[in-house]
Amino acid sequence: MRYYDKITPDGTRDLLFGECDQRSQVTKTLKELFVSQGYRRVMTPALEFYDVFGKAAKYLPKEAMYKLTDAKGRLMVLCPDCTAPVARLTATRLKGLPKPLRLYYNHNIYRGFPERKSKSVEINQVGIELIGGSPLRGDLEVVELAARSLDKVSGGKYRLELCHIGYFKAIMDSLDADDDTKEEIRQLVEQKNYAALSDTLGRAKDNKAARALRKLPRLFGGAEVFREAYELFDENGARESLDYLKRIYEYLQELGLGDKVLIDLGLVNLAEYYTGIIFRGYFRGLGEQVLSGGRYDTLLSQFGEDHCAIGFGFNVDLASQVKEPEPEPVPKILVFTRDLKHIPASVQYRKELEEKGIMTENSVFDTLEETLEYARKRGILRVHLVGEKIEEYQVEKGIGENETN
């Protein structure tokens, strides 16, 4: 029988000293930014009833969820997404509060990826949700905040990609194809798989929509994308979607973001979930998205509330990789006492040093020799022996060389 007592499950990992500090730095930076903009923190459980996602978040495949049952036999899941629980919370405990609601969270989410065993299944996420208010003004606020979040964490080494799902939906509504073929096309557009996309579109009736879909994955870049997109397809609500997206893009340009913001009309993930703006954030040197978000105006209605909403989530684990690890702090002084009767005095002495801002560590060895040897290995340069008086040992001088304070 094989035991798995010395490894972590696929898609998870242990975090060590510097990695924990890097994650904390990213989280602290984002939390401070969100609070400064009026967002308030909420916490939802790690365990949720399956119905929260099975009914409200159909975009999330049930195969991706980690399921278990409670003592009453009810089906539960480890939280695979933060937005649906926040929507549940908004429709229940926050129902009577004035809108808009500005909420932020810091939560681990759990999603299985059967096709990619190397992908993380436990993700630490910080994100925001803006619920209620004017959709346009909300989009302007949240997209700008997403850009500022990326900037603060990466030091300006980022890009933000924008799309409006309405453009893609307008094209698909004009395509003569069955639902299965349309879903296949959506996946191929998202993957920018040009060859397979062309083959699949060959099974659909050739019209303006089919010709637009062939070029859709290539509609990526700056302001020039709009001219080409208008020429490619402007029917069935497509023009209105482009007009709206252009307005957001121009607003960000006025803020001086320049080439940090790009248009990618091939962002068509979760097409049945998003209802307007979609955006993703990337850091230089990282191939995966560190931020994703968009407008989802129909989600709250599935919990009995009718409010527009937009938000984004930040993958803290990925974002931490761009933070230079700070040197691990080493205690200045290792405090030791030979006689147990002096331990209270040793504790008081360490408190006095800590109040002066001096980092200390307590020796749990029985002898001075063991204490000094540990200090050498740990890189602690001074050992203070607490007894009737305080004796200091300079570790680099070797055992026995001391001076009395």
Side-chain angles (χ1 to χ4, degrees), residues 130-174:
L130 175 57
I131 300 166
S134 160
L136 175 60
R137 290 176 182 270
D139 288 349
L140 294 174
E141 174 178 321
V142 171
V143 174
E144 187 274 332
L145 185 54
R148 199 187 310 186
S149 302
L150 292 165
D151 181 64
K152 278 190 171 290
V153 175
S154 70
K157 300 175 182 178
Y158 75 94
R159 76 175 189 271
L160 181 65
E161 299 178 358
L162 300 176
C163 180
H164 193 296
I165 198 62
Y167 184 72
F168 174 71
K169 288 181 176 179
I171 298 174
M172 293 299 283
D173 288 344
S174 301

Side-chain angles (χ1 to χ4, degrees), residues 103-115:
L103 310 174
Y104 85 91
Y105 57 82
N106 180 202
H107 207 296
N108 276 4
I109 61 172
Y110 302 86
R111 292 185 187 177
F113 297 90
E115 73 285 358

Side-chain angles (χ1 to χ4, degrees), residues 172 175 177-186 200 203-204:
M172 293 299 283
L175 184 69
D178 58 58
D179 290 342
D180 290 340
T181 301
K182 287 184 176 181
E183 173 57 20
E184 184 179 352
I185 289 170
R186 187 203 62 77
T200 302
R203 303 199 303 264

Side-chain angles (χ1 to χ4, degrees), residues 111-132:
R111 292 185 187 177
F113 297 90
E115 73 285 358
R116 292 180 60 186
K117 291 186 177 180
S118 62
K119 192 173 178 66
S120 294
V121 301
E122 182 183 38
I123 301 167
N124 187 254
Q125 192 176 82
V126 176
I128 63 140
E129 311 293 347
L130 175 57
I131 300 166

Side-chain angles (χ1 to χ4, degrees), residues 175 180-204 210 213-218:
L175 184 69
D180 290 340
T181 301
K182 287 184 176 181
E183 173 57 20
E184 184 179 352
I185 289 170
R186 187 203 62 77
Q187 293 179 15
L188 295 174
V189 171
E190 172 73 14
Q191 298 163 6
K192 297 190 184 300
N193 189 334
Y194 305 108
L197 177 61
S198 180
D199 290 342
T200 302
L201 286 169
R203 303 199 303 264
L213 286 168
R214 285 189 172 89
K215 296 183 179 181
L216 188 59
R218 293 183 172 87

Side-chain angles (χ1 to χ4, degrees), residues 209-352:
R211 291 191 292 272
L213 286 168
R214 285 189 172 89
K215 296 183 179 181
L216 188 59
R218 293 183 172 87
L219 292 181
F220 178 86
E224 71 281 358
V225 170
F226 291 106
R227 177 184 54 79
E228 187 175 354
Y230 281 123
E231 294 176 355
L232 195 60
F233 197 88
D234 63 354
E235 304 168 4
N236 205 18
R239 174 170 288 276
E240 289 78 7
S241 296
L242 289 174
D243 289 344
Y244 190 96
L245 179 61
K246 187 177 181 182
R247 192 170 182 180
I248 300 290
Y249 177 79
E250 290 174 345
Y251 166 76
L252 295 174
Q253 295 302 304
E254 290 175 9
L255 293 177
L257 296 181
D259 59 2
K260 299 289 187 187
V261 180
L262 298 172
I263 301 301
D264 184 358
L265 294 181
L267 291 184
V268 296
N269 62 314
L270 309 182
E272 296 306 315
Y273 172 70
Y274 288 122
T275 58
I277 289 290
I278 303 175
F279 49 93
R280 289 180 181 173
Y282 295 84
F283 286 162
R284 188 182 304 168
L286 288 180
E288 290 189 66
Q289 63 193 40
V290 296
L291 179 149
S292 64
R295 176 158 290 282
Y296 53 94
D297 287 344
T298 59
L299 179 59
L300 268 294
S301 65
Q302 298 180 48
F303 291 93
E305 291 287 293
D306 186 19
H307 299 294
C308 60
I310 181 174
F312 64 78
F314 213 106
N315 187 324
V316 175
D317 297 312
L318 276 178
S320 300
Q321 296 179 23
V322 303
K323 281 284 189 183
E324 288 294 329
E326 295 182 1
E328 183 184 345
V330 177
K332 299 291 185 183
I333 299 171
L334 181 61
V335 179
F336 170 69
T337 181
R338 282 195 179 95
D339 198 322
L340 294 180
K341 71 179 182 180
H342 292 131
I343 285 182
S346 172
V347 171
Q348 182 59 37
Y349 181 62
R350 281 191 288 116
K351 287 181 179 179
E352 293 172 2

